[in-house]
Amino acid sequence: LLIVDRMANRFGLVENVVVSAGARRRRIAENLMKTIKAFAGENRVDCLDLTSSREAAQKLYEKLGYEERATKNYRLKLTNRA
């Protein structure tokens, strides 16, 4: 998680969330993303951005509240300021 301060808000950039094939379907990615969200909230992050090309991952992000943006870039708003 990279936290970036901009003029009016603070956003987080999530990169390279990968769970090895043998460890999938154990909610590892879901729990990791929830931990990232909690950490971001504790650090006053307004929204989280990520990019995903994997359909299964995209479904998880949508389940967690992320909204698709252009070119599979997803954002989760944590405050009304973003």
Side-chain angles (χ1 to χ4, degrees), residues 14-21 23-24 28-29 32-33 54 57 61:
V14 180
E15 291 285 338
N16 300 319
V17 176
V18 179
V19 176
S20 65
R24 292 185 184 144
I28 294 169
L32 179 59
M33 294 305 297
R54 293 192 64 248
Y61 300 138

Side-chain angles (χ1 to χ4, degrees), residues 35-81:
T35 300
I36 290 170
K37 178 184 174 184
F39 179 82
E42 291 167 5
N43 287 278
R44 299 176 294 116
V45 171
D46 298 305
C47 61
L48 295 173
D49 285 346
L50 62 88
T51 302
S52 175
S53 59
R54 293 192 64 248
E55 187 175 330
Q58 293 163 8
K59 288 179 182 179
L60 170 63
Y61 300 138
E62 290 170 358
K63 173 183 166 185
L64 295 174
Y66 288 78
E67 297 177 0
E68 184 177 355
R69 300 175 74 206
T71 65
K72 299 297 180 199
N73 184 342
Y74 289 77
R75 171 172 282 172
L76 177 64
K77 291 184 180 181
L78 301 177
T79 70
N80 291 330
R81 295 180 293 171

